[in-house]
Amino acid sequence: MANSEPVPPDQAPPSDSEEINGTDETFEEGEDTEYEEVEEEEEEDELDPVKERERLKSIFRRLSTDPVHVRVHDVVIKGNTKTKDAIIEAEISDLFKTPKTVQELVAAASIANARLKQLDVFDSVSITLDAGPTELPGTTNVVIEVVEASSPLTGNVGVFSKPESRSWSLEGSLKLKNLFGHADIWDTSGIFGWDQSLEISTGVWLPRFRSVPTPLSARAFLLSQDWLKFSSYKERLMGLNFGLLSTNNHDLSYNLTWRTLTDPTRMSSPSIRRQLGHNMLSALKYCYKIDRRDSHLRPKSGYAFSSTSQVSGLWDLRGLKFFRQEFDLRAATPLGFWNTALNVGLSAGVTLPLGRDFTKLSTSVPDRFFLGGHSSLVCSLGGPSSLLGFQTRGLGPTDMRRVVNSNKDEGSVQSDGHDFVGGDLAVTAFADVSFDLPLKIFRDAGIHGHAFICAGNLAKLSEGEIKNFSPERFLKTFRSSAGVGVILPTKFCRVEINYCHVLKQFEQDRGKNGIQFSFSSPL
Amino acid sequence: MADSRSSGDRHLLLVARKPRFGLPTACPSCLPVYLYLKLANADFSVEFDSSFSDADHIPYVEYGESVALNNEKGGVIEVLKEDDILDLNAKHTSLAIPDLVSTKAMVSSWLYEAILYELWIAIGGDIAHDIYFSDLPWPIGKILHWKKIYDVKKLLGVTKVNCEARELEIYKKANEAYDALSLKLGDQVFFFDNRPTDVDALFLGHALFVLHALPETSELRRNLLKHDSLVKYAEHLKAELQLDSTPSSTQPSSSSKDASTPSAPRRKPSSGWGSKPNPKPKKEKTEEQKKFRRRAKYFLAAQLVAVLVFLSLMGVSSESEIDDEDAVDYDEE
């Protein structure tokens, strides 16, 4: 505070400091003369609250509209007993160098507050703009007061749906925050998926490490997925994942995984049988994502785009070597009546083996594309995956499962159907119109309806099939479905209840007309 | 070579471990199957699997839409006989059968255990690594190698305490088997009735592996070399079957499949991830059961949705009540 006679708390000028913590705001000036005038005025009007309010309003008005120049003299950090000063300073250093007016300073303080809260290691963050030294008029000190998390151990349980997963999952995690004072977050999580997947992982997240300005993460995981019903194999992955670069739009990560495919049922088709075994996946993955839609749950305007590129084969020549690329483009526009909006999307993906004579080589089944499932068309952003009306992995190239001579004398044979082996090229497209429901109670709860049409197709390009690929035939063999449904955005998850009608499918596809449920994250 | 009863002239596809040491396939479980097909003059081709080291279903033979896996019904050879695909023993008289079965049991147990012990415990890692793990990335190969050694020790009952005693026992049984087989063979070309049987395939595979894959320091190899008749038998058949030339084979077209892997003992599924004792194909559920399960799922889902809707609507109405209560007349200030 500026140097002045001590003033009783109840008569203290409330406008002398600004506290950015999302509650109340007051401004402080660094000029002594104005403060003395305020004090004189206060002494005169101390019993007149109306005049006091008017005075405050005029000060606020002046500070908010007129460019009051000020310079940051010093940044003072308080309350951090465990967290290193350097961590907090690194988050906010660029914000207080450039502002020149009080308005810019207030905006910068808001951003700094948000950044520090985003570290997730503080219970509260309070930023006060205090008067600078009296010998330096026109300066201010920024005082950052943090309250570190009282309980560094937190737990969390929830229902989520990640873009890359095929269905919703129940996740539980334990987090240990700020163990070493670098705003480091250690966590252990377990995820159980509806599609009989199980993942256990542990990792650490750092907001910055030495000279690297972006967050870094390292994770060890063990994941088991059961695809026996669809493709006659079980997948087990064990490995390490390193997040190298993570910003709002860019994400670069490295993955080193030991992958094992097994078939306990011994009923797999020949092409799956040849894929069984151990592989090392050493891959660099880059993801660019931009989402300018106004909402993730019910977008009515804007666009979104994501591109994911993956190159595998970085360990040595004996690991899996392939290149995988996915694109996803969405757009939303309001239709101008009854709060309806049109969402359209187009996504495509291709995977190709790397190596000499790559056209003759084969791709690994888990790295191919599969279409089907009940994931939301509008919410999920991350490559071709969902096609309503079809079961998970319910369309595309197939191979016949093993035939077992169950009774040699009678000559009867038993076959368990077909394995869906996935495609190297996948394309999906959809159009979705969302609209409000007639009852007000539904509108207030955010419950709305939608009508959709979607289409998709898979094609094999590896093992020499790229020569036989024909774009015309690919377009002619597109599967499609249409339907209507209701969307319920609840606190726990986003529920979609759709009636789907399959418009076009082929003999081996598993499309089915009827009601389907879809659960996704409420975020 | 002798005729064999086969189900038509169908083409067979053998998937085995990769060739090495001048042998068409270096794995001691795969070599007998290869030799069985060769002795039967079967029309077959070979593919090599290089990524499933601990698979107990390899080797396997595909014929049409069916497949004979090594971890079913006693092995590939037994399945081929049972399915009337290929039976080398068909022409033999019934008098030779008891002798044949007991000889086969001796070769399949005593000599098989001897090879397991020699390859995984006695000699050390290099040969086993070359056969099974050389094409896998190093960390995976190393871990699987250790796991296989542990599994073999468990199967053979070898512990730190009884290691030497167990070794003596295994070599003693192998020697007895060699003595018995040497006497049985005599001057014949094959063990039984001058016609090849599955015993010939099994023992020839064992002998060729011991002579060509194991090093000179191997105790088992030294013991086999003492039996001239058996050595001559193996070398003679190797030349007859032209095993020196690389078999017409195709590599699997997967870009990542290079390594070969150890196969688990035939009699017992390995404790690896990939096996389950005697799984049977699922019986088809009845229509009624499917319908019931489908209806049950819809019922549960409808209940869940109803609860979620109720909670959401309750949340909306309580929020609107709170808004009304919190309304403050700011004009009064």
Side-chain angles (χ1 to χ4, degrees), chain A residues 12 18 31 35-36 43 95 148 156 172 188 201 231 233 293 314 333 340 352 388 412 414 416 421 449 451 503 512:
Chain A
E18 175 173 359
E31 301 183 0
Y35 183 78
E36 288 170 1
E43 287 174 355
L95 291 172
E148 290 173 334
N156 186 29
T188 299
S201 65
S231 304
Y233 72 88
R293 295 176 295 180
L314 306 175
T333 180
T340 54
L352 289 171
L388 297 179
S412 62
Q414 186 177 2
D416 214 14
V421 298
L503 300 173
K512 197 175 170 187

Side-chain angles (χ1 to χ4, degrees), chain A residues 450 484-488 495-499 515-518, chain B residues 305:
Chain A
H450 74 137
V484 293
V486 174
I487 295 162
L488 303 97
V495 182
E496 272 191 38
I497 309 170
N498 298 319
Y499 175 80
I515 294 179
Q516 294 174 349
F517 293 89
S518 164
Chain B
V305 167

Side-chain angles (χ1 to χ4, degrees), chain B residues 308-325:
Chain B
L308 292 172
V309 168
F310 175 74
L311 289 172
S312 302
L313 293 177
M314 284 297 293
V316 166
S317 52
S318 62
E319 277 173 14
S320 57
E321 285 172 8
I322 290 168
D323 288 341
D324 292 334
E325 288 169 4

Side-chain angles (χ1 to χ4, degrees), chain A residues 222-273:
Chain A
L222 174 63
L223 169 64
S224 157
Q225 274 196 310
D226 186 340
W227 299 111
L228 287 172
K229 194 174 149 190
F230 313 104
S231 304
S232 293
Y233 72 88
K234 285 178 88 163
E235 183 181 5
R236 184 147 106 174
L237 299 112
M238 193 186 321
L240 302 169
N241 179 280
F242 298 96
L244 305 174
L245 175 76
S246 178
T247 65
N248 285 338
N249 300 120
H250 305 275
D251 196 275
L252 180 68
S253 63
Y254 172 74
N255 203 313
L256 184 66
T257 306
W258 174 356
R259 183 161 70 198
T260 305
L261 306 183
T262 59
D263 174 25
T265 65
R266 300 183 213 151
M267 292 297 290
S268 57
S269 55
S271 46
I272 296 292
R273 200 181 301 128

Side-chain angles (χ1 to χ4, degrees), chain A residues 118 214-215 246-251 287-292:
Chain A
Q118 218 171 20
T214 60
S246 178
T247 65
N248 285 338
N249 300 120
H250 305 275
D251 196 275
C287 182
Y288 173 75
K289 195 175 283 194
I290 180 168
D291 196 341
R292 295 276 186 263

Side-chain angles (χ1 to χ4, degrees), chain A residues 131-196:
Chain A
T134 49
E135 61 272 17
L136 297 173
T139 61
T140 181
N141 285 343
V142 178
V143 179
I144 300 174
E145 192 156 354
V146 298
V147 175
E148 290 173 334
S150 54
S151 171
L153 189 67
T154 57
N156 186 29
V157 177
V159 173
F160 298 98
S161 173
K162 295 173 188 167
E164 62 271 13
S165 69
R166 279 84 178 177
S167 69
W168 60 277
S169 57
L170 178 69
E171 295 184 24
S173 67
L174 279 175
K175 282 186 187 175
L176 189 60
K177 298 181 186 178
N178 215 5
L179 187 64
F180 296 107
H182 290 276
D184 45 305
I185 297 180
W186 303 78
D187 78 287
T188 299
S189 65
I191 303 173
F192 177 74
W194 183 253
D195 55 357
Q196 296 180 13

Side-chain angles (χ1 to χ4, degrees), chain A residues 201-358:
Chain A
S201 65
T202 183
V204 60
W205 181 87
L206 284 169
R208 56 188 62 239
F209 182 71
R210 295 193 179 177
S211 57
V212 180
T214 60
L216 296 176
S217 65
R219 199 151 199 90
F221 62 90
L222 174 63
L223 169 64
S224 157
Q225 274 196 310
D226 186 340
W227 299 111
L228 287 172
K229 194 174 149 190
F230 313 104
S231 304
S232 293
Y233 72 88
K234 285 178 88 163
E235 183 181 5
R236 184 147 106 174
L237 299 112
M238 193 186 321
L240 302 169
N241 179 280
F242 298 96
L244 305 174
L245 175 76
S246 178
T247 65
N248 285 338
N249 300 120
H250 305 275
D251 196 275
L252 180 68
S253 63
Y254 172 74
N255 203 313
L256 184 66
T257 306
W258 174 356
R259 183 161 70 198
T260 305
L261 306 183
T262 59
D263 174 25
T265 65
R266 300 183 213 151
M267 292 297 290
S268 57
S269 55
S271 46
I272 296 292
R273 200 181 301 128
R274 275 155 183 70
Q275 298 262 343
L276 300 177
H278 305 278
N279 274 308
M280 176 77 86
L281 180 74
S282 168
L284 205 58
K285 188 172 175 183
Y286 169 70
C287 182
Y288 173 75
K289 195 175 283 194
I290 180 168
D291 196 341
R292 295 276 186 263
R293 295 176 295 180
D294 57 348
S295 164
H296 291 287
L297 297 178
R298 189 184 173 184
K300 292 179 195 168
S301 67
Y303 67 93
F305 172 74
S306 84
S307 163
T308 305
S309 309
Q310 189 175 7
V311 174
S312 175
L314 306 175
W315 181 263
D316 61 17
L317 296 177
R318 293 172 289 189
L320 282 171
K321 298 181 287 293
F322 66 88
F323 171 74
R324 197 170 192 261
Q325 176 66 51
E326 295 174 22
F327 292 108
D328 204 332
L329 179 64
R330 307 287 171 92
T333 180
L335 295 179
F337 58 94
W338 297 341
N339 204 22
T340 54
L342 171 68
N343 274 269
V344 293
L346 175 69
S347 57
V350 66
T351 179
L352 289 171
L354 296 176
R356 201 181 298 176
D357 290 331
F358 69 95

Side-chain angles (χ1 to χ4, degrees), chain A residues 53 229 236 238 257-268 270 273-280 315-322 353-354 360-364 400-405 408 414-416 441-442 444-447 463 488-493 495 497 512 514-517 519, chain B residues 13 15 47 49 51-54 57 60 62-69 71-73 81-84 129 133-140 143-144 252-258 261 269 273-284 294 297-298 301-302 304-305 308-309 311-313 316 333:
Chain A
R53 201 180 300 126
K229 194 174 149 190
R236 184 147 106 174
M238 193 186 321
T257 306
W258 174 356
R259 183 161 70 198
T260 305
L261 306 183
T262 59
D263 174 25
T265 65
R266 300 183 213 151
M267 292 297 290
S268 57
R273 200 181 301 128
R274 275 155 183 70
Q275 298 262 343
L276 300 177
H278 305 278
N279 274 308
M280 176 77 86
W315 181 263
D316 61 17
L317 296 177
R318 293 172 289 189
L320 282 171
K321 298 181 287 293
F322 66 88
L354 296 176
K360 296 178 189 167
L361 298 174
S362 173
T363 48
S364 183
M400 190 167 169
R401 285 181 184 163
R402 177 186 177 190
V403 170
V404 175
N405 294 324
K408 200 171 60 171
Q414 186 177 2
S415 173
D416 214 14
I441 192 169
F442 289 149
D444 290 340
I447 298 173
E463 294 178 343
L488 303 97
T490 71
K491 204 189 299 182
F492 309 104
C493 60
V495 182
I497 309 170
K512 197 175 170 187
I515 294 179
Q516 294 174 349
F517 293 89
F519 300 90
Chain B
L13 176 64
V15 176
E47 273 186 20
D49 184 288
S51 67
F52 212 157
S53 306
D54 52 344
H57 67 275
Y60 60 87
E62 289 179 349
Y63 46 99
E65 292 165 343
S66 301
V67 61
L69 301 175
N71 55 353
E72 284 180 337
K73 300 178 185 175
K81 286 195 293 188
E82 192 178 310
D83 288 351
D84 293 332
H129 181 268
F133 308 115
S134 57
D135 292 326
L136 280 176
W138 173 82
I140 297 178
I143 293 172
L144 290 175
S253 53
S254 167
S255 59
S256 62
K257 296 204 172 287
D258 297 325
T261 53
W273 300 313
S275 61
K276 223 185 205 180
N278 300 325
K280 291 179 183 166
K282 280 186 192 170
K283 289 185 184 170
E284 286 187 5
R294 194 170 55 239
K297 276 185 201 169
Y298 280 142
L304 178 65
V305 167
L308 292 172
V309 168
L311 289 172
S312 302
L313 293 177
V316 166
E333 283 187 359

